Amino acid sequence: MAIANVTQDTVASQWSDALHAKDRRVTKQRLAVLTAVDNSPHSTAETVTESVRGQLRDITVQSVYVILADLSDAGLLRRIESPHSPARYETRVGDNHHHAVCTSCGRIEDVDCAVGHAPCLTPQTTHGMTIQVAEVLYQGLCGDCQLDQR
């Protein structure tokens, strides 16, 4: 749920609403982390910490990790785990997109699904990269869990 470029107060209000919708308290720490990730998609926890410390000088790295984990669990952030790289985070959640990672510099680009439904294996664009490997992670509910939800 990336939030469009609007005033800082509007962004804070939208993130506050999103936090409330996920039954999370609105704190300055959570708002700062969400804003940092939204402003710099595919950020590492270290990058988020550096950005947040621009507003909250005394926030600890551990606090940022806890907030990132909580917001990921709540579905407000997406945690991206690629081989040989620290986890990265983005606010683009709830859609069917993948990522292209440069094996040389580590740059990550969003790749929209060309097919338009999950799962897709054909990227709409490769951002000039020669794709060598595609990884798909299927997530769903087993039969027992489906029965428990009824």
Side-chain angles (χ1 to χ4, degrees), residues 119-131:
C120 83
L121 298 175
T122 306
Q124 185 173 13
T125 180
T126 62
H127 297 282
M129 294 184 192
T130 302
I131 304 298

Side-chain angles (χ1 to χ4, degrees), residues 34-92:
L34 283 165
T35 300
V37 175
D38 197 43
N39 288 338
S40 184
H42 311 131
S43 294
T44 64
E46 284 185 14
T47 305
V48 172
T49 301
E50 290 173 21
S51 177
V52 170
R53 282 187 175 156
Q55 298 171 12
L56 306 171
R57 189 171 41 100
D58 295 330
I59 195 164
T60 65
V61 174
Q62 181 62 33
S63 293
V64 171
Y65 272 101
V66 169
I67 293 167
L68 288 168
D70 178 60
L71 295 176
S72 296
D73 289 344
L76 292 171
L77 293 180
R78 181 176 178 184
R79 180 183 167 113
I80 305 161
E81 296 184 62
S82 56
H84 314 294
S85 174
R88 296 173 182 267
Y89 299 87
E90 67 181 351
T91 56
R92 185 177 171 186

